[in-house]
Amino acid sequence: MLLDQFDIEELFETKCRCFGSVGSLTGAAMVAANVAAAGAVISTVGMIQQGQAQASQAKFQAGVAQNNAIIAQQQATRAQQQALLDEEDFRRQQSDLMASRRSLMGGLGVTGAGSPLAVSSDFAGESELNALRLRNQGAVNVNRLQQDVMNYKSQAGLYGMQGRQAVTGSYFRAGGT
């Protein structure tokens, strides 16, 4: 027996009349089911949007961390350049001072032997030690800034991973709904 749309509707109405008040209960149950389904859809969309919003926030934070890494790298480069300049300036000042001392000693008729030689030698040694200290301090600053660069890059990677996990998690939560 072939049924068309009219036959199906007629059979449905007949069955609803046979069950009396149960038919109206079925209608209410259908409305409740539709409302529940609509709620699930809305909840699912909300979960996905929440995951995407978290991913956007994480992407922004990753961008900030990348910018901080770039700034720290620039600071490290500048600190290295400044340390070299400071060392060169110090050596030049000490050389000028040593030349002035030699000139003064020569003007006074002091020879470069004996005690004046020992004093000049000590001065040269102290000058070199202080120049090396300046170089070392520059290297310490550069190392600290390079560590900042690595930390910012790691933080950017972590934010990127959190963003991807937020999106993936939202899909799983939405699928569970």
Side-chain angles (χ1 to χ4, degrees):
M1 165 177 179
L2 294 175
L3 299 175
D4 62 3
Q5 182 68 27
F6 177 76
D7 293 332
I8 292 172
E9 288 174 4
E10 188 177 318
L11 282 171
F12 181 73
E13 286 178 20
T14 304
K15 289 203 180 244
C16 287
R17 272 185 251 121
C18 288
F19 289 109
S21 63
V22 175
S24 64
L25 200 64
T26 304
M30 289 178 72
V31 168
N34 287 338
V35 168
V41 168
I42 291 170
S43 177
T44 300
V45 169
M47 287 178 194
I48 291 172
Q49 287 177 341
Q50 180 184 17
Q52 289 172 343
Q54 288 172 341
S56 293
Q57 180 182 8
K59 184 177 180 181
F60 173 77
Q61 289 172 326
V64 169
Q66 278 292 7
N67 286 343
N68 288 341
I70 290 168
I71 291 168
Q73 182 61 55
Q74 291 169 344
Q75 289 173 339
T77 300
R78 178 66 184 127
Q80 187 173 26
Q81 293 168 347
Q82 188 62 49
L84 290 173
L85 290 174
D86 289 347
E87 182 183 355
E88 287 175 10
D89 289 347
F90 180 79
R91 287 182 186 278
R92 190 175 309 107
Q93 289 170 353
Q94 296 305 302
S95 177
D96 291 347
L97 187 57
M98 184 64 120
S100 295
R101 291 177 71 169
R102 279 192 211 118
S103 175
L104 182 63
M105 287 191 310
L108 296 173
V110 177
T111 63
S115 291
L117 178 62
V119 170
S120 293
S121 180
D122 283 347
F123 180 79
E126 283 294 319
S127 294
E128 180 62 20
L129 178 63
N130 288 331
L132 293 175
R133 285 180 178 158
L134 283 171
R135 181 187 297 172
N136 182 58
Q137 185 59 44
V140 167
N141 287 339
V142 168
N143 286 340
R144 180 186 52 79
L145 290 167
Q146 289 291 350
Q147 185 65 42
D148 288 347
V149 170
M150 292 188 313
N151 288 341
Y152 286 129
K153 285 184 177 182
S154 296
Q155 191 177 30
L158 179 63
Y159 284 136
M161 184 174 55
Q162 287 174 343
R164 289 186 298 275
Q165 287 177 341
V167 169
T168 303
S170 72
Y171 290 141
F172 283 123
R173 285 190 309 276
T177 299

